[in-house]
Amino acid sequence: MENKTAAQFSTPNLMTNISGFVVIEGKRSMRKRGLTSPDRVEAGLLAIYEPVPLVARKRRGVLN
């Protein structure tokens, strides 16, 4: 892994919300801190992301 890409993985802060879920810092908040968007990491994650089709979610009762 390239050094620039590895550094982008550690750029966003991780927080928890009231419900206890992990929340990753947003791009706007990162810009306010003077950091750039983690474009390389985002591109890599989106390349392997496969959303569940809406039809399949309805059949399993997720949207009911």
Side-chain angles (χ1 to χ4, degrees), residues 17-60:
N17 63 12
I18 294 173
S19 303
F21 291 101
V22 175
V23 179
I24 300 173
E25 181 180 18
K27 289 182 182 181
R28 284 185 187 166
S29 177
M30 288 175 57
R31 272 190 240 123
K32 287 179 185 176
R33 293 193 301 135
L35 301 171
T36 59
S37 175
D39 295 328
R40 292 173 182 229
V41 173
E42 187 177 31
L45 293 174
L46 287 173
I48 60 172
Y49 174 69
E50 291 185 33
V52 177
L54 186 58
V55 176
R57 283 192 264 168
K58 282 184 179 179
R59 271 189 244 133
R60 289 187 296 174

